[in-house]
Amino acid sequence: MAVLEGSAATAGIALSVVAVVAFGLAAVAYSLYFTSRTKHHIDTEFFVTARGTMPVARIAWSFFAASMGAWVLYGPAQYVADPSFGVGYLGLISYSFFTGAPLVMIAFMGSYIRKNVPQATSIASFGRWRFGTVVELFIMLLVLFNLGVALAAEYTAIGGIFGDFFGVASWVPIVAVGLMTMAYTATGGLYVSIITDQWQAVISLLLLFTSVIYIGVSFKGVTLPPLPDYLGATTGGWQSFVTLGISLCSANFFSEAMWQRVWASQDSRSLQIGALIGGSLATLAVAVFSFGALLAYWSGRADANSLSNFAFFYAFKSSDGTVSPAVTIIVLLFAVIMNESAVDSFQNAITDTLVSAASIVGLSVPLWAARLIVVAVNVPVMIVGTRGLNIIQLFLVSNMLTSCTFLPLAAGLIPALNNIISPISVILGCLFSFFSVMVYGAIQTGSVGAGLYQYFYVSYDIYAFIIAPVSGIVGLALFAGIELAVRKIAGWPMPSLPAQPVIEQAKAKIVEVKRDVAAA
């Protein structure tokens, strides 16, 4: 049975559809206006990077919008308040902090990459510059898998929301959101996506602020009982700083949706300040949803028999046990708008990654083909979204793979290691991490297959998440040492970066393109 019925359900569906369609049509109209009147030279590279066009404010709004999504309505609330997780207020702090902090991490890493690889179109471009084509392809595969899971999660979440609250078949909202976002993403690319992020972020924050006021009024004069143990300082809460910190930082490193904001920023200052503001807003949003859920269970408005994925809504319960349809619809509109924003970010990011992949085999993707890619990659993921898969389990596969590979690859950003680590030591370090987790799983479960299933698909085990990055660094150091010794004995040259003239040529090309744009 749907949470909202009758006229409330009808109003909720109507407002949600209007929000999706209105944003979509406005974005398409702006895309057509932009492409016909802009002074920018719109080619495939500009379509996927919007290079150097976005000031601080736009980058801030865009980082916030791209990091949100319909997941924020369910995920943090369930994780913090559900007695079976037992992470309590410490989980609230860790989930909130590690939603925003990785955006700042990406910004500072991105400043280094912008300086050294000014023509980068994806994080894989850095991989090619630092380690070569094999590592570039390796990064691309991880990025595509990570983005595919994230996009499928958004479609699944919006389908679940409409099913749970309105009793509507999941494919209806998925098709609506998918078609609208494809329309303006294929028309205007990343530039228009970032522009729409501003609209979506501002309205979403207004809706969120309204719900905060309602919670405050709802709890006015309420005397809370002692905090239940499972909401206090639990072992699971302390462990969440490790599991969430490692998994969310690693996942964001392999999210091209975040790196696109790096290429689009006007300069490093705009990038870093924008990420700090956007990350702070993301932290605030997750904290609000988590705290509302915690209040619901603390006050007794929800208990062990309640559906924890609805935990935030239980905070709005009145004395007769009902939840206001009006405030429920307000919160759902927040989720719908943020879902649309996240979906178009992932669509752009996947397109960017595939366009960059074409360069590996020497192909230059024309603009019309880039627009076609937006549609071609999106439709299959929409179909996956209608299947109602367990996204938390899919995220675990992605989180564990990125946790195994993040630190060895990120070590390439450290200048002091330029003549120490090579493509060979990095790839072997990543594999060493993977096999270390596999061995741990085999020891714990008794077989390799059961161990892989348990720790890559079922359980967010703290020890597995510690083993992954630690063994990655140990493996990198081990194989780098072996390689350096072999090179020294054999008289081979040490690992090194590309010749500096290559970088200077790339910078000169950027200056030339900017000059052409200004002249146009």
Side-chain angles (χ1 to χ4, degrees), residues 20-21 23-32 35 47 155 175-189 192-193 196 340 343-344 347-348 371-372 374-375 378 382:
V20 170
V21 174
F23 273 115
L25 292 179
V28 170
Y30 183 83
S31 298
L32 295 173
T35 53
F47 183 80
Y155 281 133
V175 170
V177 171
L179 290 179
M180 283 291 98
T181 52
M182 276 192 290
Y184 68 78
T185 299
T187 306
V192 171
S193 174
T196 60
E340 193 171 18
V343 166
D344 77 56
Q347 289 173 349
N348 270 299
R371 287 171 167 155
L372 185 61
V374 174
V375 178
N378 196 57
M382 289 169 62

Side-chain angles (χ1 to χ4, degrees), residues 346-357:
F346 295 138
Q347 289 173 349
N348 270 299
I350 293 173
T351 303
D352 182 9
T353 305
L354 291 174
V355 167
S356 298

Side-chain angles (χ1 to χ4, degrees), residues 93-262:
I93 296 171
S94 63
Y95 210 141
S96 302
F97 178 78
F98 286 113
T99 297
L103 308 187
V104 181
M105 175 193 78
I106 292 293
F108 281 89
M109 288 181 170
S111 296
Y112 175 82
I113 294 176
R114 282 169 59 106
K115 177 181 177 181
N116 290 281
V117 197
Q119 283 186 297
T121 57
S122 71
I123 180 57
S125 299
F126 158 75
R128 181 197 303 178
W129 170 77
R130 180 62 182 85
F131 296 115
T133 303
V134 173
V135 173
E136 178 186 21
L137 182 60
F138 180 65
I139 293 175
M140 280 182 175
L141 292 175
L142 286 168
V143 167
L144 286 172
F145 181 78
N146 193 36
L147 289 171
V149 170
L151 183 55
E154 279 304 310
Y155 281 133
T156 300
I158 198 64
I161 286 172
F162 270 69
D164 291 338
F165 286 89
F166 304 130
V168 174
S170 63
W171 65 267
V172 175
I174 291 174
V175 170
V177 171
L179 290 179
M180 283 291 98
T181 52
M182 276 192 290
Y184 68 78
T185 299
T187 306
L190 180 63
Y191 187 96
V192 171
S193 174
I194 291 177
I195 296 298
T196 60
D197 284 344
Q198 296 178 105
W199 314 338
Q200 292 159 333
V202 170
I203 292 178
S204 295
L205 285 177
L206 289 175
L207 294 171
L208 185 63
F209 182 67
T210 302
S211 66
V212 169
I213 293 175
Y214 196 95
I215 287 181
V217 171
S218 174
F219 277 89
K220 184 178 180 180
V222 173
T223 301
L224 294 172
L227 188 69
D229 290 341
Y230 69 88
L231 295 177
T234 65
T235 300
W238 289 112
Q239 291 178 347
S240 70
F241 284 92
V242 177
T243 54
L244 289 177
I246 293 171
S247 63
L248 293 179
C249 287
S250 301
N252 275 278
F253 181 80
F254 291 98
S255 176
E256 191 62 43
M258 300 305 158
W259 288 105
Q260 284 189 298
R261 276 73 196 159
V262 172

Side-chain angles (χ1 to χ4, degrees), residues 402-466:
T402 55
S403 296
C404 289
T405 53
F406 167 46
L407 289 183
L409 288 166
L413 291 165
I414 303 174
L417 299 179
N418 286 349
N419 299 114
I420 297 176
I421 60 176
S422 72
I424 296 173
S425 56
V426 165
I427 293 294
L428 290 177
C430 293
L431 292 175
F432 185 81
S433 175
F434 175 83
F435 284 113
S436 296
V437 177
M438 185 182 73
V439 169
Y440 168 73
I443 294 172
Q444 294 297 111
T445 63
S447 73
V448 172
L452 288 174
Y453 180 77
Q454 179 68 21
Y455 297 112
F456 279 83
Y457 193 69
V458 176
S459 174
Y460 279 81
D461 182 80
I462 183 174
Y463 300 109
F465 273 102
I466 291 175

Side-chain angles (χ1 to χ4, degrees), residues 462-482:
I462 183 174
Y463 300 109
F465 273 102
I466 291 175
I467 289 171
V470 171
S471 60
I473 290 300
V474 170
L476 178 64
L478 173 64
F479 291 112
I482 293 173

